[in-house]
Every structure is written in C-alpha cells, then in structure tokens.
Amino acid sequence: MMGVQDNPSPPSQGGGGSLFTTFFKIGMFTLGGGYAMIPIIEAEVVDKHKWVTKEEFLDLIAIAQSCPGVFAANISIFIGYRLKKVPGAIITCLGTCLPSFLIILLIAMFFHRFQDNPVVASIFRGIRPAVVALIAVPTFNLAKSAGITWATCWIPIGGALAIWLMGVSPILIILLAAIGGYVYGTLIKPTE
C-alpha cells in the first residue's frame, strides 16, 4: 500500500483557496456522511483536479477507514497533507467539516420550531432511501476497484453478517481479515 508521503510532488498541487473551496463544496452538498462522499471526492480530487491518482485515492480510503474518527475528516486530512503537508490538512479538514458544523448549529438553534412538523418528518423519511443508495454505489465501486470477485465476495458478506446477526465486534473482523490476508499473502499465494 502506498503511504501518504510516498510521492512528494503530486501531479497538480492545488492552492489553499482551491483546496478549501473544493472540500467546502464536497462537505456542503453531500448527504449521508463520509461514505456517500467517496464518489464526489473522487470526481473532484482524482478526475477534475488530478491531485492524486486512482490508486493513491484507494490507498488513502483504506488508511482513512482504518483510522479512528470521522471518515470524511480523515480522508480530507490525508489528501490535504498529501498536497500541502500540515497547512493543507488543516485547510481541507476545515473545508469538509465547516458546512456540517454550520448546518447543525442552525438546526440546533431552530429545531424546537419544526421538530413536530409533519412536512419535515416526511422529508427526512424520503431522504433515508436516497442516503442508502449514496452509500451503496461507492461500496460496489470500491469492491470492483479492490478486485472483489464472485469467488471472494463471501469475505465482506460474511463479515457484515457476522457483525449484524451475531453481534461480532468489527474490530475482531478487521483483525481476522488482517491475519487472513497475511497468511494468504505469505503462505498460500507464493506457492500457487
């Protein structure tokens, strides 16, 4: 896996204002949290600005998922750091988190006025299925990019079912997957 610091000069480094504006836009117009942001971040960072390659982006997603904290903040910090070191990490994190903070602040200020409004409740019920779709699409795209096939799809499905049906800790699933990947990569695959 490529580290965050492996390539000191990415294809096209964005300026601080461009970084902030791009990540503010991503943070402002993404419903459903970090995973729903993946296709938008990819479109902006990989396709439009070419700040990182597709392979680097997949590596950064893997790193961001394995770190504690909010996924959207993690991925923005890693991309910002990749481009402009610490100042870039601060700028991209602020750009990503500021819209959510401002929106939640406004909702908290006025929530008591519309919390029992049937129109607002209906709007939130309508948004839920769209958020599921926004999370499902990047999941399938990541599976395709990671090389998940019909022969290996049982691994993520089994892990999800173990967590959902049997209450297995996600940490245990991650540890078992890491051990399994290590065993496969060092003992089984070389002999094939």
Side-chain angles (χ1 to χ4, degrees):
M1 180 172 1
M2 177 175 286
V4 174
Q5 302 176 13
D6 286 353
N7 184 1
S9 58
S12 165
Q13 291 198 359
S18 175
L19 287 174
F20 181 83
T21 304
T22 299
F23 281 89
F24 188 86
K25 180 172 65 171
I26 290 167
M28 187 71 162
F29 296 106
T30 304
L31 298 173
Y35 296 103
M37 289 179 157
I38 291 173
I40 297 170
I41 295 172
E42 182 179 3
E44 288 288 326
V45 171
V46 176
D47 300 334
K48 182 177 178 184
H49 295 291
K50 302 193 184 321
W51 288 333
V52 295
T53 65
K54 175 78 169 175
E55 293 77 23
E56 290 170 326
F57 183 69
L58 290 173
D59 289 343
L60 290 172
I61 288 173
I63 295 168
Q65 287 175 325
S66 63
C67 290
V70 178
F71 173 78
N74 289 347
I75 191 76
S76 66
I77 287 168
F78 289 134
I79 292 171
Y81 186 82
R82 169 83 173 75
L83 296 172
K84 296 283 187 182
K85 302 296 180 204
V86 173
I90 293 169
I91 288 169
T92 54
C93 185
L94 282 175
T96 301
C97 297
L98 192 59
S100 299
F101 173 76
L102 295 174
I103 291 168
I104 294 299
L105 185 63
L106 287 171
I107 289 172
M109 290 171 53
F110 300 106
F111 184 69
H112 65 280
R113 293 185 186 170
F114 60 84
Q115 65 184 357
D116 296 323
N117 186 321
V119 173
V120 173
S122 297
I123 289 171
F124 283 120
R125 278 195 302 274
I127 289 174
R128 287 182 196 140
V131 170
V132 170
L134 287 172
I135 293 171
V137 169
T139 300
F140 289 118
N141 289 340
L142 286 173
K144 185 176 164 185
S145 298
I148 302 289
T149 64
W150 287 108
T152 58
C153 71
W154 66 270
I155 298 169
I157 292 171
L161 290 175
I163 293 168
W164 180 49
L165 295 176
M166 300 187 311
V168 176
S169 170
I171 295 169
L172 180 61
I173 299 292
I174 292 169
L175 291 173
L176 290 173
I179 292 167
Y182 177 77
V183 168
Y184 177 78
T186 57
L187 302 176
I188 299 170
K189 192 171 184 179
T191 60
E192 287 180 352

